[in-house]
Amino acid sequence: MARSLPEQVPPPEVEAAARERSAARSARDWATADRLRGEIEAAGWKVVDAGTAYRLEPAHPPDVEVEGEIRYGRSDAVPSRLHEPATGLACVVVVASPDRATTEAALAGLRAGARAGTDVVVVADGLPDEAVDGLAGAAGAGWPTELIRTSAPLGHAAALNAGIRRARAEVVVVLDPSIVLTGDVVGPLVEALADATVAIAGPFGLRSSNLRQFEEALEGDAVAIQGYLQAFRRSDYVARGPLDEGFRFYRNLDIWWSLVLRDEGEGEPPRRAVVVPGLPLERGEPAAWMATPEAVRDRLSKRNFYRILDRFRTRLDLAG
């Protein structure tokens, strides 16, 4: 049986801003009304107008308790371990596929050779019970595996943020269920990050001379590491994250995050994105790609790319 957790009440400062905004709208002071709406939304609330009246609603789905399990309505509601001392070798974060068998195959692949000290966090982003039943044990005996569930689909970046908040280890490995590991992949990625000049590592890179057009790179240094399999430091996530949750669709989030991690500021040499070749794995098509119509994929991908340009359009020092 599901039940919502206690209803949220807007804090006094949000109520005050909403009253002030209502007065500004009545006075046709649209600039002030828009500014106050922005402040209200930044505080995690939204204003629903109804003529001259209004009501305040949380800007995210509620947390829901189902048989003692909390399903979270936003990523930052997930209890964080990021303030705790890092322990273990790596934490592998997997955003589960709607197809349980696909996720199970990816988790089972982790047993093929990853080293001791690896734990697994699986995030089910608004998925039904049949897509997640049994996943907490799918990585096998001796593998600490935690399942995080959301009460509604929050989007790809938010799902990753939710999972990374549970990371114990200094190295975070993001693994898409379309990748099935057939040997030790975690160890080489951890070793790549032992070099302080490396910000992010993985088997599939992207190169670009202008940060507009990209081509795949399968060895050497790259501009970005593709999000199907990438590793970075938890401490860098704390310092430079979280991931921008405007990336609800997965495309181009990997480029944005790679550039964020590499960027040391204008005039400073950027850190490196390094392709680690020859890793034992089998590569498939991501579920989000196959399940999304082509026209929708193109529209969402383009919208995401504008987020990259908004931040990095002048940063050709990060190209290469």
Side-chain angles (χ1 to χ4, degrees):
M1 179 178 177
R3 67 181 182 88
S4 293
L5 297 183
E7 184 176 356
Q8 291 181 278
V9 177
E13 60 270 21
V14 171
E15 289 278 16
R19 288 194 297 270
E20 187 179 347
R21 176 180 175 275
S22 181
R25 292 181 74 243
S26 296
R28 304 182 71 81
D29 181 357
W30 307 120
T32 298
D34 287 346
R35 174 179 60 80
L36 290 165
R37 176 187 284 275
E39 293 178 4
I40 291 165
E41 291 176 349
W45 293 83
K46 62 181 178 182
V47 186
V48 180
D49 294 313
T52 58
Y54 68 87
R55 70 178 185 274
L56 288 167
E57 296 181 354
H60 50 75
D63 293 348
V64 174
E65 182 179 343
V66 181
E67 297 180 354
E69 174 192 65
I70 305 300
R71 302 182 184 181
Y72 299 97
R74 64 188 197 279
S75 64
D76 62 3
V78 177
S80 176
R81 291 193 175 109
L82 300 178
H83 61 284
E84 300 173 0
T87 60
L89 180 70
C91 175
V92 181
V93 177
V94 180
V95 177
S97 168
D99 175 41
R100 184 178 64 183
T102 297
T103 309
E104 287 177 335
L107 294 176
L110 285 169
R111 289 180 290 185
R115 303 176 191 179
T118 303
D119 62 311
V120 182
V121 177
V122 180
V123 183
D125 186 26
L127 295 179
D129 291 344
E130 56 267 25
V132 301
D133 286 346
L135 289 185
W143 287 79
T145 306
E146 181 176 8
L147 177 64
I148 299 295
R149 300 190 65 174
T150 67
S151 60
L154 304 183
H156 191 68
L160 287 174
N161 282 333
I164 295 168
R165 287 173 65 84
R166 300 301 291 166
R168 294 183 175 92
E170 170 61 357
V171 172
V172 176
V173 178
V174 171
L175 174 67
D176 188 87
S178 63
I179 303 295
V180 176
L181 309 182
T182 58
D184 180 16
V185 166
V186 172
L189 294 177
V190 171
E191 291 166 6
L193 289 170
D195 183 340
T197 69
V198 177
I200 186 167
F204 314 119
L206 293 169
R207 293 197 180 103
S208 173
S209 61
N210 56 15
L211 299 186
R212 266 67 170 179
Q213 290 83 35
F214 291 81
E215 60 183 20
E216 191 166 57
L218 297 179
E219 62 181 2
D221 281 18
V223 167
I225 298 298
Q226 296 181 56
Y228 310 119
L229 177 57
Q230 58 179 205
F232 49 86
R233 297 177 186 84
R234 187 182 76 157
S235 56
D236 283 338
Y237 175 86
V238 172
R240 304 186 183 211
L243 303 177
D244 179 351
E245 297 190 357
F247 287 90
R248 293 186 60 87
F249 189 55
Y250 78 99
R251 290 291 305 281
N252 296 323
L253 171 61
D254 47 8
I255 298 175
W256 180 89
W257 182 231
S258 295
L259 295 177
V260 168
L261 290 174
R262 293 180 57 227
D263 184 14
E264 294 289 89
E266 290 193 69
E268 297 295 328
R271 294 192 297 174
R272 299 161 59 206
V274 172
V275 178
V276 181
L279 295 181
L281 55 82
E282 297 173 357
R283 185 177 183 180
E285 289 286 359
W289 176 265
M290 295 186 293
T292 307
E294 182 177 1
V296 177
R297 288 198 310 250
D298 291 345
R299 175 173 55 82
L300 295 177
S301 299
K302 184 178 293 185
R303 180 185 299 171
N304 284 354
F305 195 72
Y306 287 140
R307 292 182 174 275
I308 299 172
L309 293 181
D310 285 345
R311 181 160 177 175
F312 296 108
R313 70 173 69 242
T314 65
R315 297 299 305 281
L316 292 183
D317 56 309
L318 295 169

PDB file of all heavy atoms in Angstrom, residues 5 24 57 66 70 73-74 76 83 96 103 113 131 173-174 183 190 199 202 213 215 243 246-247 252 259 275 294 296:
ATOM      1  N   LEU A   5       4.156  10.806   2.010  1.00  0.00           N
ATOM      2  CA  LEU A   5       4.680  11.284   3.273  1.00  0.00           C
ATOM      3  C   LEU A   5       4.021  12.617   3.610  1.00  0.00           C
ATOM      4  O   LEU A   5       3.334  13.218   2.778  1.00  0.00           O
ATOM      5  CB  LEU A   5       6.197  11.407   3.174  1.00  0.00           C
ATOM      6  CG  LEU A   5       6.899  10.058   2.926  1.00  0.00           C
ATOM      7  CD1 LEU A   5       8.401  10.228   2.902  1.00  0.00           C
ATOM      8  CD2 LEU A   5       6.503   9.019   3.957  1.00  0.00           C
ATOM      9  N   ALA A  24       1.968  42.425  -7.205  1.00  0.00           N
ATOM     10  CA  ALA A  24       2.648  42.984  -8.379  1.00  0.00           C
ATOM     11  C   ALA A  24       1.845  42.705  -9.645  1.00  0.00           C
ATOM     12  O   ALA A  24       1.745  43.569 -10.530  1.00  0.00           O
ATOM     13  CB  ALA A  24       4.049  42.401  -8.496  1.00  0.00           C
ATOM     14  N   GLU A  57       2.406  25.006  -5.075  1.00  0.00           N
ATOM     15  CA  GLU A  57       2.590  23.559  -5.118  1.00  0.00           C
ATOM     16  C   GLU A  57       4.077  23.250  -5.126  1.00  0.00           C
ATOM     17  O   GLU A  57       4.879  24.040  -5.654  1.00  0.00           O
ATOM     18  CB  GLU A  57       1.956  22.966  -6.382  1.00  0.00           C
ATOM     19  CG  GLU A  57       0.463  23.114  -6.473  1.00  0.00           C
ATOM     20  CD  GLU A  57      -0.093  22.486  -7.746  1.00  0.00           C
ATOM     21  OE1 GLU A  57       0.733  22.054  -8.593  1.00  0.00           O
ATOM     22  OE2 GLU A  57      -1.321  22.434  -7.894  1.00  0.00           O
ATOM     23  N   VAL A  66       6.027   3.082   0.182  1.00  0.00           N
ATOM     24  CA  VAL A  66       5.333   1.875  -0.267  1.00  0.00           C
ATOM     25  C   VAL A  66       5.907   0.694   0.499  1.00  0.00           C
ATOM     26  O   VAL A  66       7.067   0.313   0.312  1.00  0.00           O
ATOM     27  CB  VAL A  66       5.507   1.657  -1.784  1.00  0.00           C
ATOM     28  CG1 VAL A  66       4.762   0.406  -2.221  1.00  0.00           C
ATOM     29  CG2 VAL A  66       5.032   2.865  -2.568  1.00  0.00           C
ATOM     30  N   ILE A  70      10.885   4.067   0.731  1.00  0.00           N
ATOM     31  CA  ILE A  70      10.664   5.434   0.299  1.00  0.00           C
ATOM     32  C   ILE A  70      10.995   5.555  -1.180  1.00  0.00           C
ATOM     33  O   ILE A  70      12.068   5.147  -1.633  1.00  0.00           O
ATOM     34  CB  ILE A  70      11.526   6.429   1.102  1.00  0.00           C
ATOM     35  CG1 ILE A  70      11.273   6.270   2.602  1.00  0.00           C
ATOM     36  CG2 ILE A  70      11.233   7.864   0.657  1.00  0.00           C
ATOM     37  CD1 ILE A  70       9.848   6.503   3.022  1.00  0.00           C
ATOM     38  N   GLY A  73      10.794  11.909  -4.583  1.00  0.00           N
ATOM     39  CA  GLY A  73      10.241  12.806  -5.574  1.00  0.00           C
ATOM     40  C   GLY A  73      11.246  13.775  -6.166  1.00  0.00           C
ATOM     41  O   GLY A  73      10.932  14.492  -7.115  1.00  0.00           O
ATOM     42  N   ARG A  74      12.437  13.789  -5.619  1.00  0.00           N
ATOM     43  CA  ARG A  74      13.497  14.645  -6.167  1.00  0.00           C
ATOM     44  C   ARG A  74      14.833  14.052  -5.743  1.00  0.00           C
ATOM     45  O   ARG A  74      14.924  13.342  -4.735  1.00  0.00           O
ATOM     46  CB  ARG A  74      13.372  16.091  -5.702  1.00  0.00           C
ATOM     47  CG  ARG A  74      13.547  16.285  -4.203  1.00  0.00           C
ATOM     48  CD  ARG A  74      13.217  17.703  -3.783  1.00  0.00           C
ATOM     49  NE  ARG A  74      13.756  18.005  -2.479  1.00  0.00           N
ATOM     50  CZ  ARG A  74      13.186  17.662  -1.331  1.00  0.00           C
ATOM     51  NH1 ARG A  74      12.036  16.993  -1.341  1.00  0.00           N
ATOM     52  NH2 ARG A  74      13.738  17.985  -0.178  1.00  0.00           N
ATOM     53  N   ASP A  76      17.575  15.413  -4.499  1.00  0.00           N
ATOM     54  CA  ASP A  76      18.213  15.853  -3.260  1.00  0.00           C
ATOM     55  C   ASP A  76      17.458  15.424  -2.010  1.00  0.00           C
ATOM     56  O   ASP A  76      17.879  15.722  -0.897  1.00  0.00           O
ATOM     57  CB  ASP A  76      18.464  17.366  -3.257  1.00  0.00           C
ATOM     58  CG  ASP A  76      17.186  18.190  -3.354  1.00  0.00           C
ATOM     59  OD1 ASP A  76      16.079  17.611  -3.365  1.00  0.00           O
ATOM     60  OD2 ASP A  76      17.297  19.428  -3.427  1.00  0.00           O
ATOM     61  N   HIS A  83      29.225  13.438   2.241  1.00  0.00           N
ATOM     62  CA  HIS A  83      29.984  14.107   3.307  1.00  0.00           C
ATOM     63  C   HIS A  83      30.795  13.108   4.133  1.00  0.00           C
ATOM     64  O   HIS A  83      31.605  13.519   4.966  1.00  0.00           O
ATOM     65  CB  HIS A  83      29.030  14.855   4.235  1.00  0.00           C
ATOM     66  CG  HIS A  83      28.041  13.944   4.915  1.00  0.00           C
ATOM     67  ND1 HIS A  83      26.945  13.413   4.268  1.00  0.00           N
ATOM     68  CD2 HIS A  83      27.998  13.463   6.181  1.00  0.00           C
ATOM     69  CE1 HIS A  83      26.273  12.648   5.100  1.00  0.00           C
ATOM     70  NE2 HIS A  83      26.880  12.651   6.261  1.00  0.00           N
ATOM     71  N   ALA A  96      18.399   2.047 -14.115  1.00  0.00           N
ATOM     72  CA  ALA A  96      17.789   0.808 -14.612  1.00  0.00           C
ATOM     73  C   ALA A  96      17.012   1.030 -15.903  1.00  0.00           C
ATOM     74  O   ALA A  96      16.388   2.076 -16.116  1.00  0.00           O
ATOM     75  CB  ALA A  96      16.867   0.217 -13.551  1.00  0.00           C
ATOM     76  N   THR A 103      18.644  -4.870 -17.443  1.00  0.00           N
ATOM     77  CA  THR A 103      19.362  -4.412 -16.244  1.00  0.00           C
ATOM     78  C   THR A 103      20.026  -5.578 -15.542  1.00  0.00           C
ATOM     79  O   THR A 103      21.170  -5.467 -15.079  1.00  0.00           O
ATOM     80  CB  THR A 103      18.390  -3.703 -15.281  1.00  0.00           C
ATOM     81  OG1 THR A 103      17.644  -2.714 -15.999  1.00  0.00           O
ATOM     82  CG2 THR A 103      19.149  -3.029 -14.146  1.00  0.00           C
ATOM     83  N   GLY A 113      34.436  -9.802 -13.198  1.00  0.00           N
ATOM     84  CA  GLY A 113      35.834  -9.536 -12.881  1.00  0.00           C
ATOM     85  C   GLY A 113      36.128  -8.272 -12.111  1.00  0.00           C
ATOM     86  O   GLY A 113      37.299  -7.995 -11.843  1.00  0.00           O
ATOM     87  N   ALA A 131       9.651  -3.987 -13.282  1.00  0.00           N
ATOM     88  CA  ALA A 131      10.938  -3.661 -13.900  1.00  0.00           C
ATOM     89  C   ALA A 131      12.089  -3.692 -12.907  1.00  0.00           C
ATOM     90  O   ALA A 131      13.255  -3.680 -13.327  1.00  0.00           O
ATOM     91  CB  ALA A 131      10.872  -2.281 -14.560  1.00  0.00           C
ATOM     92  N   VAL A 173      31.613   5.200 -11.067  1.00  0.00           N
ATOM     93  CA  VAL A 173      31.527   4.659 -12.429  1.00  0.00           C
ATOM     94  C   VAL A 173      30.060   4.656 -12.830  1.00  0.00           C
ATOM     95  O   VAL A 173      29.230   4.043 -12.159  1.00  0.00           O
ATOM     96  CB  VAL A 173      32.104   3.234 -12.515  1.00  0.00           C
ATOM     97  CG1 VAL A 173      31.945   2.685 -13.934  1.00  0.00           C
ATOM     98  CG2 VAL A 173      33.563   3.211 -12.083  1.00  0.00           C
ATOM     99  N   VAL A 174      29.730   5.376 -13.894  1.00  0.00           N
ATOM    100  CA  VAL A 174      28.368   5.363 -14.433  1.00  0.00           C
ATOM    101  C   VAL A 174      28.308   4.316 -15.537  1.00  0.00           C
ATOM    102  O   VAL A 174      29.109   4.344 -16.485  1.00  0.00           O
ATOM    103  CB  VAL A 174      27.986   6.751 -14.982  1.00  0.00           C
ATOM    104  CG1 VAL A 174      26.657   6.680 -15.738  1.00  0.00           C
ATOM    105  CG2 VAL A 174      27.893   7.761 -13.848  1.00  0.00           C
ATOM    106  N   GLY A 183      34.512  -8.679 -18.102  1.00  0.00           N
ATOM    107  CA  GLY A 183      35.762  -8.789 -17.359  1.00  0.00           C
ATOM    108  C   GLY A 183      35.932  -7.568 -16.486  1.00  0.00           C
ATOM    109  O   GLY A 183      34.989  -6.810 -16.250  1.00  0.00           O
ATOM    110  N   VAL A 190      39.678   2.957 -12.533  1.00  0.00           N
ATOM    111  CA  VAL A 190      40.236   3.509 -11.286  1.00  0.00           C
ATOM    112  C   VAL A 190      41.707   3.868 -11.487  1.00  0.00           C
ATOM    113  O   VAL A 190      42.183   4.931 -11.047  1.00  0.00           O
ATOM    114  CB  VAL A 190      40.064   2.502 -10.127  1.00  0.00           C
ATOM    115  CG1 VAL A 190      40.832   2.954  -8.894  1.00  0.00           C
ATOM    116  CG2 VAL A 190      38.580   2.328  -9.789  1.00  0.00           C
ATOM    117  N   ALA A 199      40.460  13.992 -15.510  1.00  0.00           N
ATOM    118  CA  ALA A 199      39.211  14.331 -14.839  1.00  0.00           C
ATOM    119  C   ALA A 199      38.138  13.275 -15.033  1.00  0.00           C
ATOM    120  O   ALA A 199      37.291  13.073 -14.162  1.00  0.00           O
ATOM    121  CB  ALA A 199      38.693  15.676 -15.352  1.00  0.00           C
ATOM    122  N   GLY A 202      36.946   6.646 -19.699  1.00  0.00           N
ATOM    123  CA  GLY A 202      36.004   5.644 -20.163  1.00  0.00           C
ATOM    124  C   GLY A 202      36.440   5.105 -21.511  1.00  0.00           C
ATOM    125  O   GLY A 202      37.384   5.613 -22.118  1.00  0.00           O
ATOM    126  N   GLN A 213      30.588  20.069 -33.640  1.00  0.00           N
ATOM    127  CA  GLN A 213      30.531  18.745 -34.258  1.00  0.00           C
ATOM    128  C   GLN A 213      31.498  17.819 -33.522  1.00  0.00           C
ATOM    129  O   GLN A 213      32.621  18.224 -33.195  1.00  0.00           O
ATOM    130  CB  GLN A 213      30.903  18.805 -35.740  1.00  0.00           C
ATOM    131  CG  GLN A 213      29.868  19.507 -36.618  1.00  0.00           C
ATOM    132  CD  GLN A 213      30.011  21.013 -36.602  1.00  0.00           C
ATOM    133  OE1 GLN A 213      31.117  21.537 -36.526  1.00  0.00           O
ATOM    134  NE2 GLN A 213      28.892  21.709 -36.664  1.00  0.00           N
ATOM    135  N   GLU A 215      33.100  13.661 -33.140  1.00  0.00           N
ATOM    136  CA  GLU A 215      33.305  12.336 -33.717  1.00  0.00           C
ATOM    137  C   GLU A 215      33.861  11.415 -32.638  1.00  0.00           C
ATOM    138  O   GLU A 215      34.504  11.874 -31.679  1.00  0.00           O
ATOM    139  CB  GLU A 215      34.258  12.393 -34.901  1.00  0.00           C
ATOM    140  CG  GLU A 215      35.634  12.928 -34.576  1.00  0.00           C
ATOM    141  CD  GLU A 215      36.521  13.024 -35.799  1.00  0.00           C
ATOM    142  OE1 GLU A 215      35.991  13.047 -36.930  1.00  0.00           O
ATOM    143  OE2 GLU A 215      37.751  13.063 -35.617  1.00  0.00           O
ATOM    144  N   LEU A 243      24.833  17.224 -11.417  1.00  0.00           N
ATOM    145  CA  LEU A 243      24.490  17.268 -12.826  1.00  0.00           C
ATOM    146  C   LEU A 243      23.281  18.181 -13.035  1.00  0.00           C
ATOM    147  O   LEU A 243      22.373  18.231 -12.199  1.00  0.00           O
ATOM    148  CB  LEU A 243      24.171  15.860 -13.334  1.00  0.00           C
ATOM    149  CG  LEU A 243      25.266  14.802 -13.150  1.00  0.00           C
ATOM    150  CD1 LEU A 243      24.761  13.456 -13.634  1.00  0.00           C
ATOM    151  CD2 LEU A 243      26.537  15.194 -13.871  1.00  0.00           C
ATOM    152  N   GLY A 246      18.188  19.785 -15.916  1.00  0.00           N
ATOM    153  CA  GLY A 246      17.499  20.114 -17.146  1.00  0.00           C
ATOM    154  C   GLY A 246      17.729  19.070 -18.224  1.00  0.00           C
ATOM    155  O   GLY A 246      16.963  18.987 -19.188  1.00  0.00           O
ATOM    156  N   PHE A 247      18.775  18.241 -18.081  1.00  0.00           N
ATOM    157  CA  PHE A 247      19.031  17.134 -18.999  1.00  0.00           C
ATOM    158  C   PHE A 247      18.137  15.952 -18.613  1.00  0.00           C
ATOM    159  O   PHE A 247      18.585  14.968 -18.048  1.00  0.00           O
ATOM    160  CB  PHE A 247      20.495  16.714 -18.937  1.00  0.00           C
ATOM    161  CG  PHE A 247      21.461  17.664 -19.576  1.00  0.00           C
ATOM    162  CD1 PHE A 247      22.043  18.683 -18.844  1.00  0.00           C
ATOM    163  CD2 PHE A 247      21.800  17.542 -20.917  1.00  0.00           C
ATOM    164  CE1 PHE A 247      22.950  19.560 -19.425  1.00  0.00           C
ATOM    165  CE2 PHE A 247      22.706  18.414 -21.511  1.00  0.00           C
ATOM    166  CZ  PHE A 247      23.271  19.430 -20.762  1.00  0.00           C
ATOM    167  N   ASN A 252      23.821  14.154 -24.813  1.00  0.00           N
ATOM    168  CA  ASN A 252      24.664  15.337 -24.642  1.00  0.00           C
ATOM    169  C   ASN A 252      24.944  15.705 -23.186  1.00  0.00           C
ATOM    170  O   ASN A 252      25.770  16.589 -22.942  1.00  0.00           O
ATOM    171  CB  ASN A 252      24.095  16.550 -25.381  1.00  0.00           C
ATOM    172  CG  ASN A 252      24.071  16.348 -26.884  1.00  0.00           C
ATOM    173  OD1 ASN A 252      24.988  15.744 -27.443  1.00  0.00           O
ATOM    174  ND2 ASN A 252      23.024  16.815 -27.551  1.00  0.00           N
ATOM    175  N   LEU A 259      32.980  18.411 -19.895  1.00  0.00           N
ATOM    176  CA  LEU A 259      33.544  19.759 -19.957  1.00  0.00           C
ATOM    177  C   LEU A 259      33.562  20.422 -18.582  1.00  0.00           C
ATOM    178  O   LEU A 259      34.522  21.120 -18.230  1.00  0.00           O
ATOM    179  CB  LEU A 259      32.762  20.612 -20.953  1.00  0.00           C
ATOM    180  CG  LEU A 259      32.833  20.166 -22.417  1.00  0.00           C
ATOM    181  CD1 LEU A 259      31.947  21.056 -23.287  1.00  0.00           C
ATOM    182  CD2 LEU A 259      34.258  20.159 -22.930  1.00  0.00           C
ATOM    183  N   VAL A 275      40.521   8.211 -22.974  1.00  0.00           N
ATOM    184  CA  VAL A 275      39.903   6.973 -23.451  1.00  0.00           C
ATOM    185  C   VAL A 275      40.753   5.795 -22.980  1.00  0.00           C
ATOM    186  O   VAL A 275      41.962   5.770 -23.184  1.00  0.00           O
ATOM    187  CB  VAL A 275      39.800   6.967 -24.985  1.00  0.00           C
ATOM    188  CG1 VAL A 275      39.210   5.644 -25.471  1.00  0.00           C
ATOM    189  CG2 VAL A 275      38.957   8.141 -25.463  1.00  0.00           C
ATOM    190  N   GLU A 294      12.263   9.178 -33.516  1.00  0.00           N
ATOM    191  CA  GLU A 294      13.397   9.924 -34.056  1.00  0.00           C
ATOM    192  C   GLU A 294      13.201  11.431 -33.954  1.00  0.00           C
ATOM    193  O   GLU A 294      14.119  12.168 -33.562  1.00  0.00           O
ATOM    194  CB  GLU A 294      13.637   9.526 -35.511  1.00  0.00           C
ATOM    195  CG  GLU A 294      14.840  10.221 -36.134  1.00  0.00           C
ATOM    196  CD  GLU A 294      15.103   9.769 -37.555  1.00  0.00           C
ATOM    197  OE1 GLU A 294      14.340   8.922 -38.057  1.00  0.00           O
ATOM    198  OE2 GLU A 294      16.078  10.265 -38.168  1.00  0.00           O
ATOM    199  N   VAL A 296      11.431  13.112 -31.863  1.00  0.00           N
ATOM    200  CA  VAL A 296      11.528  13.527 -30.457  1.00  0.00           C
ATOM    201  C   VAL A 296      12.978  13.485 -29.994  1.00  0.00           C
ATOM    202  O   VAL A 296      13.453  14.386 -29.296  1.00  0.00           O
ATOM    203  CB  VAL A 296      10.630  12.639 -29.577  1.00  0.00           C
ATOM    204  CG1 VAL A 296      10.781  13.013 -28.101  1.00  0.00           C
ATOM    205  CG2 VAL A 296       9.175  12.758 -30.007  1.00  0.00           C
TER     206      VAL A 296
END
